[in-house]
Amino acid sequence: MDGRVALDLAVAARVRVDVSGWRDGIRAACHPLVDAGAFEQRYEDRCVAIVEEQGPYIVLAPGIALAHARPEDGVRRLGLGVAVLQNPVAFGHAVNDPVDLVLAFGSPDRGSHVGLLSALAGALLAGLAGRLREAPSDAAARELLEGVIGDDV
């Protein structure tokens, strides 16, 4: 036994998604997780509302946004998704716009996501964003996300 804890995690990925703006980009990343039963529809809506209320703080690095809300906003189980956009969109961030990679993340509580976020941050620093942008299919992008989970969570 290696000490790892099995996660009840939903993973979804879409590549070359055509969207008309940042709201659609967030929905493109979240909606497959709604369809998978990890998030309620209101979680996706809340991720959009948070940016409307608080601005584009979710744009963490050049070209990369991490859409998220609180567990009580409709998370049923841990979920991680990505939408690689066909054409970058502006979120209104002064430095990191435009965004072409929208990650969606949700946790059912305030503790079970820590290892996942740590692994995701490490993978992004190691070039995950570039590999996701070059993924030839939804399945290939999903496999990249699953690799992050498998290595460090």
Side-chain angles (χ1 to χ4, degrees):
M1 184 167 206
D2 64 5
R4 291 184 187 184
V5 176
L7 294 175
D8 180 19
L9 174 67
V11 178
R14 298 176 63 199
V15 299
R16 293 183 288 286
V17 181
D18 188 22
V19 300
S20 62
W22 67 263
R23 289 174 184 84
D24 287 347
I26 289 174
R27 294 188 186 287
C30 287
H31 202 74
L33 295 166
V34 173
D35 289 343
F39 301 165
E40 297 174 16
Q41 178 61 49
R42 65 186 175 103
Y43 188 81
E44 178 181 312
D45 298 338
R46 186 65 188 135
C47 287
V48 170
I50 285 173
V51 176
E52 291 171 341
E53 294 165 7
Q54 300 178 21
Y57 77 94
I58 69 166
V59 182
L60 304 175
I64 303 171
L66 179 62
H68 61 280
R70 300 172 68 106
E72 58 269 26
D73 291 325
V75 179
R76 294 180 178 145
R77 64 184 179 133
L78 199 57
L80 177 63
V82 66
V84 182
L85 305 182
Q86 179 78 30
N87 298 301
V89 298
F91 274 71
H93 194 280
V95 177
N96 295 328
D97 268 347
V99 170
D100 66 344
L101 193 69
V102 182
L103 295 154
F105 171 79
S107 174
D109 57 54
R110 297 185 189 281
S112 63
H113 65 286
V114 176
L116 177 59
L117 279 182
S118 176
L120 180 61
L124 287 169
L125 289 172
L128 176 64
R131 292 191 301 276
L132 287 168
R133 289 177 175 117
E134 294 173 4
S137 66
D138 294 354
R142 181 186 162 101
E143 188 173 308
L144 288 168
L145 286 183
E146 289 173 340
V148 169
I149 298 158
D151 290 344
D152 297 322
V153 178

